[in-house]
Amino acid sequence: MLRAVDVIRKKRDGEALSAAEIAWMVGGIARGDVADYQWSALLMAIVLKGMDRSETVALTDAMMRSGIVVDLSSIPGAKVDKHSTGGVGDKTSLILAPIAAAAGVLVPMVSGRGLGHTGGTLDKLESIPGFQVDVTLDRYKEILRETGLVLIGQTAEIAPADKFLYALRDATSTVEAIPLLASSIMSKKLAEGIDGLVLDVKTGNGAFLPDLERSWKLAETMCDVGRRMGKKMVALITRMDQPLGLAVGNAVEVAECLACLKGAGPDDLTSLSLDLAAEMILMASRAASIEEARGICERTIADGSALERFRVLIAAQGGDARVVDDPGLLPQPRRTIELKADRAGWVARLDARPIGVATMLLGAGRERVDSKIDPAVGVVFRRKVGDRVESGETLCTLLVNDEARLDQALSMIEDAYHWSDEPTTPPDLIVERLVAEIA
Amino acid sequence: MLRAVDVIRKKRDGEALSAAEIAWMVGGIARGDVADYQWSALLMAIVLKGMDRSETVALTDAMMRSGIVVDLSSIPGAKVDKHSTGGVGDKTSLILAPIAAAAGVLVPMVSGRGLGHTGGTLDKLESIPGFQVDVTLDRYKEILRETGLVLIGQTAEIAPADKFLYALRDATSTVEAIPLLASSIMSKKLAEGIDGLVLDVKTGNGAFLPDLERSWKLAETMCDVGRRMGKKMVALITRMDQPLGLAVGNAVEVAECLACLKGAGPDDLTSLSLDLAAEMILMASRAASIEEARGICERTIADGSALERFRVLIAAQGGDARVVDDPGLLPQPRRTIELKADRAGWVARLDARPIGVATMLLGAGRERVDSKIDPAVGVVFRRKVGDRVESGETLCTLLVNDEARLDQALSMIEDAYHWSDEPTTPPDLIVERLVAEIA
C-alpha cells in the first residue's frame, strides 16, 4: 500500500519516483487521502532534488488525466495549438490562430489570463464587446468544427490537479522548477485534444525565465515530454527583452492584431506571428517546407482570409464582429498622455519587465489573481530599440483612465528607456528552433 | 511586511533566516496567517538546506514562547531535568529523579509517551494504579515544591507550536533533520522552567538516530542551543544496542526501577542511572566533583532516601504508593512464556530495535499515536550480551495477555539474539561526555 510519507521520503532522499507513485499522489488530491501539506513538502523536495524525464512525463500524464482529456477525433484534420510562456505585448495568438485556421489547420486553443507584468490572451479577447471565453467543452468542439479555431479559458474540467498544485506552488515558492513548469503547461495543453504543439518559449528580462539556459531547458523538456506522449512538438526560443509590437494593454493589443491581419502591423510582431503560424501549418502537413508554409501565411493576409476567419470566430463566441472593420468600437480611454524624450540619441534597450509593471499600474494588468482589469488602458510605443530619437519627440502614448498611479507608471517607462550616442540595432527575435517529432 | 512565500524562498535558496523571520513564521501558526502547507514546504527546505546555530536557537526560542514558559523562580534551589532521546528498556528517569531529588536537586520533569519500538516514561508511570500524569501547571509547581520532583505529561500550554510542527513533520517525512530534532526537544524542555539539563543521547540500532556521528551532532547542537539560551548543559552519548536493564514493558519496568532504588537492580541500568543523576547533582552544585556526586547517589540508595522520595512522589500524584513495598500490586499478565536457547554459546548481540517492536506487538507499545497499551505485558531478559548460555536455558520470559501476535514477537526476539562460540564482552555504555556550561 502506498503512503504519502514514503513517497515524500523517497524524493527527499533524491530517488526517482515510479509512474505508479506519481499517479497515486496526484490521484490523492481528488481522493482526499493526500493532504495539501504533504503535496507542498513533495513539491519542495522536487524543486531541490529534481525530477528525471520519466517522472516529468508521469506527472504530466497524471495531471492531464485528473480531468477530461478532450477527444477531437470526430473532427477530421490535424489539430495544432501554440503556447507561449508569456511576455509583454505578446499577442501572437490572436494573429496566428486565424492565419493557421485560414490555411486549413484546426486550432483548438485553451488560454490563460495575465498576472503581474505579463498579459493574457483571455483578457485581450474579453476587451471585444460581448466576447465569451467561458464556454462548455461541447460548445468548444462545435465552434472548432464550424470555424476551424476556438479560443477559450481553462474550464474546471481540464486538469483540475494542475489548478490545485499551481495554487499550492504559488503559496510555497515552488513555482520555478523546470519539471513542474513543464508538466503544468503540458498537462493542460495535452488535455485540449491536440495532435501537435508549437511552443514560443520567451527569454530575456520580460520573460518568466529571463535566463537563456533555463529557457532552453524548459523548451527542451516540454518538447521531449510531448514527444514521449505521442505529440508533434516544435519550440522557438524568442527574445522578450523589449515589448513585442508597439501596443501593450488589452483593447489596444486587439487593435494591433487587426492591423497585422490587414498587413499593416509592426514588423517584429508580424514576423514572429507568421513564423509561429508557419510552424503550425508545417506540423499539420498543410505545407511541405517552412518556406512554403511562410508563403501560405502571407497569402492569408494578402487575400483577407485570415482577417475573415477572425471575424467569424468573434461572431461564433458572441463578440461584436464589427470591431474588425471599426476598431474604434473597442473600449477607449478617457485621456491620452504623450511621454516625450528629454534627450536625443538611439534607443539601446527598452526593458520589457518594468513596462509590463507600469501597464499593470495603469490598470491593464493584474497585481493579484482577483484584481479587476481595465480593457481600455495601456501604452502605445512610437520608439523602440534601434530607433533614432530627437529631443522633444514622443516616445510613447499612455492610454489612461485611473490616474492614481500614473506618475509611478510614467517614471517606470521613462527609466525603461536606455540610450546610446551611437546607432543601435534590435536583436533578432528568434534565438533558436527546437524540433521533437515522433520517432 | 513579512510574507511566508518570501521566507520559504529564502530557505529554498539556501540562505539563513533571521530570528524575526523565524519568530514570525512560528507565530503565524497561532495567528492563522501561515498555512500548514507553507510550513511543510519550509520544513522540507530546512531538511535539505539546513539551519545554522543561530537559526536553530531562534526556532527553539520561538517554539518555546508559543506557549507558557513556566516560572519556577519562586521555588528556591537549582532545577535540573534529564532528557533521553529514547530507547528500549530505557527507564532511567524513574530512578535518577528520586535520587537527584533526595540529593537536594529540584527535578521538574515533563515527559512523553512511547511510540513505535521505544517506550515512554508516562506510560510506565501510569502502570502504577491511580498515578496521574495530566496535572495543571499550578499543581506541577506545588508538587515540585512539596516533594522536590514532579513527573507530568506535556500539557497543551507547553510549546503548542512544537506540537503542531511535530505532527506535520511526521506526515511529511521531515522528522530527522538535526536542527528540527534539537529545537523540538529543547523548546519543550526549556519551557519547564529549568536552570540546566542533562541529556542522554542514545546511539546504536535501538536509538532513534542509530548513527554515532549524527547522535554526536544532535548532542552537540542541543548543548550549544541550551548554552546560548542561558542554561547549563551536559550530554552523555550512550549505547542503545541492546535493551537497557532486563525488563522491557511498563509495569515490569517500574518494578525494575524499584529494585534499582533498593540496590538490587541490574548493573548496566543502575550504573547509567547513577551516572546521569550524578551529572544533575554536579550541575545543581550539590557536589564539587562528579566523583563526589556519584558517592552521594550511592548513599541515597543505601540509606533508602531515594526510594522514600519515589514513594512520596507516587502519593503526591495520586498513585498507590504501596507498590513501592509490594510490586505485586502492579498489573500482572495472565501468562508467562519462557524462550529457551536452542544452542550453546556466548551472546554476541541482542538487537534492541526488533525487541522494541516485539514488545510493541505484545501490546506494551504503540503502533500509532492513538494505540492503547497494556501495562502488564512485556519481556524480562535472563541472558544479554557477554553471557554464557547452555542449550535449553531460558533466554527471556514473555509476559503475555493478548496472544494474537505472540508467534511473531517470539520469532523476532529469537532472531534478535546473535551468537558467538568465543567469549564476548558487553561494550561500555557511555561513548562520550559533552559539557556546555555558560561562559
Side-chain angles (χ1 to χ4, degrees), chain A residues 4-6 8-9 12-13 36-38 40-42 44-45 47-49 168-176, chain B residues 4-6 8-9 12 36-38 40-42 44-45 47-49 168-176:
Chain A
V5 274
D6 299 328
I8 298 168
R9 178 180 299 114
R12 180 198 74 185
D13 294 343
D36 49 7
Y37 54 79
Q38 292 178 311
S40 64
L42 180 61
M44 183 57 81
V47 167
L48 295 176
K49 292 291 184 170
L168 207 51
R169 286 163 58 206
D170 195 45
T172 57
S173 286
T174 51
V175 172
E176 294 93 337
Chain B
V5 272
D6 299 328
I8 298 168
R9 177 182 299 110
R12 180 199 73 186
D36 49 5
Y37 53 79
Q38 293 178 311
S40 64
L42 180 61
M44 183 58 80
V47 166
L48 295 176
K49 293 288 184 172
L168 207 51
R169 286 162 59 206
D170 194 46
T172 58
S173 287
T174 51
V175 171
E176 292 94 338

Side-chain angles (χ1 to χ4, degrees), chain A residues 222-388:
Chain A
M222 289 194 289
C223 283
D224 190 34
V225 166
R227 182 187 63 77
R228 289 176 187 229
M229 293 176 76
K231 306 297 173 186
K232 291 186 178 180
M233 300 291 303
V234 168
L236 300 185
I237 299 179
T238 72
R239 289 205 188 280
M240 179 38 68
D241 295 310
Q242 66 172 345
L244 186 61
L246 300 171
V248 183
N250 292 284
V252 69
E253 290 198 30
V254 171
E256 188 169 60
C257 291
L258 290 168
C260 276
L261 289 170
K262 291 168 186 172
D267 288 347
D268 62 344
L269 174 63
T270 304
S271 172
L272 179 58
S273 300
L274 266 60
D275 286 339
L276 291 165
E279 296 288 357
M280 296 170 75
I281 291 165
L282 184 64
M283 189 175 272
S285 305
R286 310 294 299 191
S289 70
I290 196 75
E291 294 73 22
E292 188 193 337
R294 200 50 154 79
I296 293 172
C297 292
E298 283 160 13
R299 279 201 297 283
T300 66
I301 290 183
D303 67 10
S305 60
L307 187 67
E308 180 55 26
R309 198 58 74 122
F310 195 32
R311 190 196 311 271
V312 171
L313 172 78
I314 293 172
Q317 296 198 215
D320 183 352
R322 293 175 304 162
V323 300
V324 170
D325 300 311
D326 185 1
L329 293 172
L330 290 164
Q332 302 295 322
R334 271 200 294 275
R335 188 180 165 200
T336 61
I337 295 164
E338 314 263 287
L339 177 66
K340 311 273 188 187
D342 59 2
R343 58 161 290 170
W346 282 268
V347 181
R349 272 169 43 209
L350 177 54
D351 291 342
R353 185 174 289 259
I355 288 166
V357 175
T359 319
M360 180 190 79
L361 294 176
L362 291 175
R366 281 188 188 76
E367 205 156 359
R368 287 187 297 193
V369 186
D370 55 355
S371 309
K372 283 251 170 199
I373 67 159
D374 181 342
V377 303
V379 184
V380 179
F381 289 89
R382 310 294 173 192
R383 295 290 184 272
K384 290 178 60 181
V385 176
D387 290 342
R388 169 71 196 176

Side-chain angles (χ1 to χ4, degrees), chain B residues 319-368:
Chain B
D320 183 351
R322 294 175 302 162
V323 299
V324 170
D325 299 310
D326 184 3
L329 292 171
L330 290 164
Q332 302 296 323
R334 270 200 292 276
R335 187 181 165 201
T336 61
I337 295 165
E338 315 262 289
L339 177 65
K340 311 271 187 187
D342 60 1
R343 57 161 289 170
W346 283 268
V347 181
R349 272 168 45 211
L350 177 55
D351 290 344
R353 185 174 290 258
I355 288 167
V357 175
T359 318
M360 181 190 79
L361 293 176
L362 292 176
R366 282 189 187 75
E367 204 153 3
R368 288 187 296 195

Side-chain angles (χ1 to χ4, degrees), chain A residues 376-414:
Chain A
V377 303
V379 184
V380 179
F381 289 89
R382 310 294 173 192
R383 295 290 184 272
K384 290 178 60 181
V385 176
D387 290 342
R388 169 71 196 176
V389 181
E390 300 305 329
S391 185
E393 281 188 344
T394 297
L395 293 172
C396 61
T397 306
L398 279 66
L399 317 179
V400 180
N401 276 329
D402 180 357
E403 302 188 13
R405 296 194 283 187
L406 175 60
D407 289 346
Q408 201 186 341
L410 268 170
S411 87
M412 284 186 86
I413 296 172
E414 199 160 13

